[in-house]
Amino acid sequence: MAASVAVDTAALDRASPTDDRAEFNAFYASNVGPITAQIRAYTGDPAEAEDLVAEAFLRALTRWKTVGTYDNPAVWVRRVAWNLATSRLRRGAFIRTFLRRQRVADVEGPEPDRIDLERALAGLNERHRKAIILHYIAGLSGVEIAEQERVAESTVRTWLARGRAALAERLRIDDTKEQR
């Protein structure tokens, strides 16, 4: 992780006995990668995504007796990570930094297609971007996204349709320019 989180391990041991800890460790191992990828796509910053996901998993660990009983605890962790990311994105200083990072830099880095996709995603409405990421990167169905976001499935379909249309426009290749 990019930043370490100070944890009172004695308090965690009291809060989560050994069996719960093993269950949580297995849960963490199977979910940290996909959730981090989703949050990274949302924030555009790998280190920030790792920090947010670490915080979300830490919150899950301290509440594991409750969170562990949910049908799908990963939904809870993802929701917490998204909420943390949204809170940080709303802060003015972070937004300016985020927008600066979306500019193409003259250094070795991601392929141009990846940069184009990140820039296009950054230009989408927040709800459309979130729906696109959850559907195409996280692999969630419209029903699952609707449950997570507490909206009607038809709303998610609308977000996805509008998000795809906006992405298509932003990623449009002008054939006349390509042929030259």
Side-chain angles (χ1 to χ4, degrees):
M1 295 293 147
S4 62
V5 178
V7 178
D8 179 359
T9 55
L12 288 177
D13 287 338
R14 287 189 303 274
S16 59
T18 306
D19 291 344
D20 288 345
R21 184 66 71 91
E23 179 185 343
F24 179 82
N25 288 343
F27 166 73
Y28 176 85
S30 65
N31 289 286
V32 68
I35 294 174
T36 302
Q38 296 157 34
I39 301 303
R40 188 249 182 257
Y42 182 50
T43 64
D45 183 346
E48 185 74 17
E50 288 178 357
D51 288 345
L52 295 167
V53 171
E55 176 65 25
F57 273 102
L58 179 61
R59 290 181 184 188
L61 177 59
T62 60
R63 297 166 177 83
W64 189 245
K65 285 185 192 273
T66 302
V67 174
T69 64
Y70 295 165
D71 289 338
N72 189 352
V75 171
W76 187 92
V77 172
R78 182 182 306 110
R79 180 78 172 175
V80 169
W82 275 98
N83 289 346
L84 290 168
T86 299
S87 294
R88 289 198 186 171
L89 285 173
R90 286 184 177 145
R91 291 187 208 134
F94 183 77
I95 290 173
R96 286 188 296 277
T97 302
F98 176 75
L99 292 174
R100 268 195 306 272
R101 289 182 180 143
Q102 299 308 307
R103 295 186 185 138
V104 179
D106 291 337
V107 296
E108 297 241 356
E111 295 294 317
D113 290 347
R114 174 75 180 243
I115 293 170
D116 290 343
L117 178 60
E118 287 182 1
R119 291 175 72 195
L121 281 170
L124 293 181
N125 168 295
E126 182 181 331
R127 288 181 176 159
H128 301 164
R129 178 173 63 236
K130 188 172 188 178
I132 293 289
I133 291 168
L134 289 175
H135 185 68
Y136 292 103
I137 295 177
L140 298 183
S141 69
V143 172
E144 292 170 320
I145 297 169
E147 288 173 1
Q148 177 176 321
E149 297 302 308
R150 298 182 185 114
V151 298
E153 184 181 358
S154 60
T155 301
V156 173
R157 285 194 304 266
T158 300
W159 290 348
L160 287 169
R162 290 179 181 169
R164 282 189 296 262
L167 272 178
E169 179 63 29
R170 284 175 172 76
L171 295 173
R172 185 173 56 96
I173 297 173
D174 189 354
D175 290 334
T176 58
K177 289 181 182 177
E178 287 291 315
Q179 291 174 356
R180 291 182 189 171

